[in-house]
Amino acid sequence: MQDQDVQPSGLTRRRVLGGMGIASLALMSSPALAQQTVDLHVPGGPSKRIITTSYPQKGRMILQRSSPPWLETPFEVFDKGVFTPNDQHYVSWHWANFPGDIDVDSYRLTVRGQVNQTLSLSLKDILQGLPSFDIAAVNQCAGNSRIYEEPRVAGAQWADGSMSNAIWTGVRLKAVLDRAGVKSGAIQVRFGGLDEPVMPGAPKFLKSLTIDHARDGEVMIAFAMNGEQLPLLNGFPLRLVVPGWCGVYWVKMLNDIEVLDQPDTNYWTATGYRVPDTPNNTVTPGETGFKMVPVTRNAPRSFIMGASICRSMAARVGSRPSSVPTREHTAFGNGRRNSRCLRAARAL
């Protein structure tokens, strides 16, 4: 992590603030017909998915679902470098009702609840009024590789590309909470974004962290990734970054922070995104009676690295390229293609 006003890429807070309107793009109601498909080699099928280039600020992506958009990073992208290009960073939304354009002048981030003073922060307040820092962190969906589970598990049927890595730039969540003044007795912090349910009575997407985690100085309110402003589909203008934790906690289009003095009982915490409280979060198919707990940290997972990345890493650590693997991939995993840590996980 590094505190700084000017990033190595030349990104300054003034440049970000001045360029915010760039992300105010209208989303297409549906992607144009793609000319390509990819075979994901799914046991029992269906294996083929459309390759699309029809989403704003996005390049070549695997289309898993169009509404809300689920766009998967093609696996060959991870061969190109440690950090995922912004235009190929994976996309996942829970509800389709989110803004296709945002008025950056009227946008506000509210901090409320068990605080000494309620805040309504503009983007200028955040970008120019608080110290920024950088952090490199992998954003990975809890359901990454779920499509390869045997037997199949309910939830988003991602292959291996619902993960991406970036250098994030933003402000510490702790600094924002300290400005509001957290009252004694606060135990959790809950986060919400601009996305809304598509059906009456459906639960708004909200996620929570413990107060100690929220104030650990590492959790970030991000306004940029890889030296550029956030793409609209990746949470513009602000998103939460929770290093080491599953992407479900990385709330996009963040506009509401609520400090709680009692446990969060909203659906997405109390019911959704839970796994067996067992070693490696695994159970035998058909087994019942086990306790469920919320997903939290990303389980260690690994793929074999591409030769070019291996050579680069070898140079950094002073090893000969021949001493490291040469056509392989690393991202985030337990070394097994069927992401066992997610067996029996429920996303919805």
Side-chain angles (χ1 to χ4, degrees):
M1 293 187 294
Q2 184 177 1
D3 290 318
Q4 53 189 37
D5 290 327
V6 181
Q7 312 307 328
S9 65
L11 177 71
T12 65
R13 292 190 229 182
R14 177 174 295 178
R15 177 181 161 197
V16 171
L17 190 61
M20 281 294 187
I22 297 173
S24 299
L25 301 176
L27 291 177
M28 297 181 179
S29 58
S30 61
L33 291 176
Q35 300 181 5
Q36 246 184 315
T37 61
V38 61
D39 189 342
L40 299 177
H41 305 288
V42 180
S47 285
K48 290 188 177 181
R49 298 292 187 275
I50 292 172
I51 296 291
T52 181
T53 57
S54 299
Y55 284 84
Q57 301 173 292
K58 287 297 168 183
R60 186 174 180 272
M61 301 292 287
I62 299 170
L63 180 63
Q64 290 285 12
R65 190 169 73 176
S66 59
S67 183
W70 290 352
L71 306 178
E72 181 167 332
T73 302
F75 203 74
E76 64 268 16
V77 171
F78 304 126
D79 237 354
K80 298 177 182 178
V82 173
F83 297 105
T84 314
N86 289 3
D87 68 347
Q88 291 188 291
H89 193 109
Y90 90 99
V91 172
S92 177
W93 288 83
H94 291 84
W95 296 118
N97 282 352
F98 60 89
D101 55 73
I102 293 174
D103 182 348
V104 296
D105 293 325
S106 62
Y107 174 90
R108 294 293 183 273
L109 173 63
T110 300
V111 184
R112 59 190 177 93
Q114 297 300 305
V115 294
N116 294 329
Q117 61 174 334
T118 297
L119 302 180
S120 179
L121 301 173
S122 67
L123 288 172
K124 186 175 181 179
D125 292 332
I126 293 168
L127 272 69
Q128 297 184 354
L130 293 166
S132 67
F133 74 109
D134 292 339
I135 193 166
V138 173
N139 177 14
Q140 178 178 229
C141 179
N144 194 30
S145 307
R146 185 184 282 126
I147 200 169
Y148 299 114
E149 291 290 321
E150 296 184 76
R152 296 287 276 274
V153 175
Q157 297 299 295
W158 296 108
D160 293 326
S162 61
M163 61 180 180
S164 299
N165 191 25
I167 297 177
W168 306 90
T169 304
V171 301
R172 287 180 170 84
L173 172 61
K174 180 182 186 299
V176 173
L177 293 174
D178 287 351
R179 177 171 291 193
V182 176
K183 292 182 178 179
S184 61
I187 62 172
Q188 283 187 306
V189 184
R190 183 163 64 190
F191 308 91
L194 293 174
D195 50 328
E196 295 291 342
V198 297
M199 299 171 290
K204 180 175 174 61
F205 180 70
L206 302 165
K207 287 299 289 183
S208 300
L209 298 174
T210 66
I211 190 68
D212 288 342
H213 190 178
R215 300 184 68 187
D216 69 1
E218 190 171 76
V219 179
M220 172 191 283
I221 298 173
F223 53 76
M225 56 192 284
N226 294 327
E228 300 292 340
Q229 67 181 41
L230 296 172
L232 185 69
L233 288 172
N234 292 116
F236 176 87
L238 299 174
R239 78 173 299 166
L240 202 66
V241 170
V242 188
W245 280 43
C246 296
V248 64
Y249 290 90
W250 297 39
V251 175
K252 295 179 289 295
M253 292 188 179
L254 179 69
N255 75 328
D256 186 67
I257 298 174
E258 182 180 7
V259 180
L260 307 174
D261 61 0
Q262 55 188 333
D264 184 10
T265 58
N266 93 84
Y267 170 82
W268 300 100
T269 296
T271 303
Y273 285 95
R274 299 175 77 81
V275 292
D277 186 18
T278 60
N280 298 316
N281 305 124
T282 61
V283 295
T284 303
E287 182 180 345
T288 60
F290 47 85
K291 180 183 177 182
M292 301 290 282
V293 295
V295 296
T296 53
R297 293 185 177 276
N298 281 314
R301 302 183 59 231
S302 58
F303 298 91
I304 301 193
M305 265 196 276
S308 60
I309 300 178
C310 287
R311 285 192 292 270
S312 174
M313 289 184 64
R316 291 185 187 183
V317 301
S319 301
R320 293 181 301 168
S322 59
S323 67
V324 292
T326 57
R327 167 73 189 108
E328 302 167 297
H329 254 292
T330 281
F332 232 66
N334 61 5
R336 302 187 61 172
R337 190 170 183 78
N338 63 333
S339 190
R340 294 182 62 223
C341 64
L342 297 169
R343 183 152 297 162
R346 295 183 298 178
L348 296 176

